[in-house]
Amino acid sequence: VDLLGALFCQPRLAHDFDRHLADAAAMSSAHEVYCPSYASYFGFLGAASALVFGNMGAAYGTWKSAVGMAAMAKLPRHRVQPEMVIKSMLPVIMAGVCGIYGLIIAVIIANGVDSEAYSLFTGYAHFAAGMAVGLSNLASGLSIGMCGDIGVRDSARQPKLYIGMVLIWSFASALGLYGLIVGLIIAVKNDNKICEIN
């Protein structure tokens, strides 16, 4: 009886084994399609892009604004008010914020990269978030630098222009903030559950 039972059960066991093997192969194939090993490349690239482009904008804005402040030394002493030197530091501070925005999103993205379960969807989202923040802050830094250079010099000659220059610098700095807001919204999007293989 045991021999007959084994003979009748063997085809069923073989069929179940083939079915489980086929299911495992299909799940493995889906895992390679949606969660390949190179998916984390896009996440790390997004983090690096946010930091690099943000720091480029901050460096340019700081450099150009500092050049404008240095040019104030060429003006006659009686034309330069002492408080204007301190007020002229505002575009330098605003330019430095561009690098901070890039650092914030880079840390968020880097912490979201998982070596075990990381999908292409999440990788693309992190890359898009990094590029949005990085390029927005690069544009913001360029704008602050150009406006800061000219604004500092002209404000030293005519102090009444300072309020207008502050408004211009504020709107230029807002470009980086817009990028950070959108980048944060995109960075929290993930679909890593698809990578879980039962």
Side-chain angles (χ1 to χ4, degrees):
V1 177
D2 294 338
L3 182 59
L4 290 175
L7 289 175
F8 283 114
C9 291
Q10 186 174 2
R12 180 177 298 177
L13 291 174
H15 179 268
D16 292 342
F17 178 75
D18 292 340
R19 182 168 56 84
H20 288 305
L21 189 62
D23 293 342
M27 294 177 68
S28 178
S29 177
H31 184 272
E32 289 298 325
V33 171
Y34 297 109
C35 307
S37 59
Y38 60 83
S40 59
Y41 166 78
F42 294 100
F44 288 124
L45 185 62
S49 299
L51 187 62
V52 169
F53 288 127
N55 285 336
M56 287 174 62
Y60 183 84
T62 302
W63 167 62
K64 290 293 287 184
S65 300
V67 168
M69 289 183 61
M72 293 172 60
K74 298 180 179 180
L75 297 176
R77 182 175 299 179
H78 67 278
R79 295 288 303 275
V80 180
Q81 301 177 4
E83 63 271 11
M84 286 303 300
V85 178
I86 303 301
K87 290 181 179 179
S88 299
M89 289 292 295
L90 185 59
V92 177
I93 297 172
M94 288 183 172
V97 172
C98 296
I100 296 175
Y101 289 161
L103 176 64
I104 291 172
I105 199 69
V107 171
I108 292 174
I109 292 173
N111 287 333
V113 177
D114 190 354
S115 60
E116 296 181 358
Y118 193 74
S119 65
L120 270 178
F121 177 88
T122 307
Y124 291 153
H126 286 169
F127 177 69
M131 292 297 291
V133 176
L135 293 179
S136 295
N137 282 283
L138 176 60
S140 177
L142 293 175
S143 179
I144 292 172
M146 295 298 293
C147 297
D149 183 15
I150 304 301
V152 166
R153 300 184 190 193
D154 292 344
S155 297
R157 295 187 181 96
Q158 178 52 262
K160 293 181 179 179
L161 292 174
Y162 184 75
I163 300 301
M165 290 295 103
V166 170
L167 292 176
I168 295 173
W169 297 333
S170 299
F171 283 111
S173 180
L175 299 176
L177 181 61
Y178 301 154
L180 178 65
I181 293 172
V182 174
L184 289 174
I185 295 173
I186 298 174
V188 298
K189 303 290 184 181
N190 68 71
D191 192 24
N192 292 333
K193 292 182 179 179
I194 199 173
C195 300
E196 298 177 0
I197 300 179
N198 298 322

